Amino acid sequence: RPLFNLLETARSDHARQFATQALKTDFRAVLREVEPAWVSRLVLVQDETIDEFVIWLLKNVPRFEQGAFRDLGLHEAVLKLFNSASTSAQNYAAEYARTQARDLPLEELILQVVQLF
């Protein structure tokens, strides 16, 4: 929890990189139980390092299956990654929208894609 708090409040990219690396290497087992709310909160920080960590979480936490994102409250958070400075986060959001968010209004999807360019 302290490292997640550091991710939310740190203004230094070095501190954010330290926290993400520490979480991935030293707390991997604990991360399997991370609450979806933490992931949503991290997306709101709007930082490239944190967004890449969020993508890592979404790919590595077993219960974070894309088909369950709506039920877990992660649907909107993942779509916010369209606005990320991280290309991998943008690509993840686009792939998610293509496969799991087919009900998005066309205008909203076009707006998200245009923002990428």
Side-chain angles (χ1 to χ4, degrees), residues 15-87:
R16 289 186 294 266
Q17 288 177 1
F18 166 79
T20 58
Q21 191 59 39
L23 284 164
K24 286 195 256 184
T25 56
D26 298 331
F27 298 98
R28 190 176 283 253
V30 174
L31 288 177
R32 291 179 162 271
E33 303 302 323
V34 69
E35 292 297 319
W38 275 107
V39 176
S40 295
R41 287 171 60 176
L42 290 177
V43 170
L44 295 176
V45 176
Q46 297 183 333
D47 175 78
E48 183 175 0
T49 300
I50 294 173
D51 289 348
E52 289 178 6
F53 176 64
V54 165
I55 297 307
W56 184 90
L57 282 172
L58 294 173
K59 290 180 177 180
N60 288 284
V61 173
R63 73 184 207 175
F64 291 162
E65 292 290 330
Q66 284 189 351
F69 282 0
R70 288 180 196 266
D71 293 336
L72 294 171
L74 293 171
H75 177 74
E76 293 298 323
V78 173
L79 293 177
K80 286 179 183 171
L81 292 173
F82 269 116
N83 301 319
S84 176
S86 165
T87 303

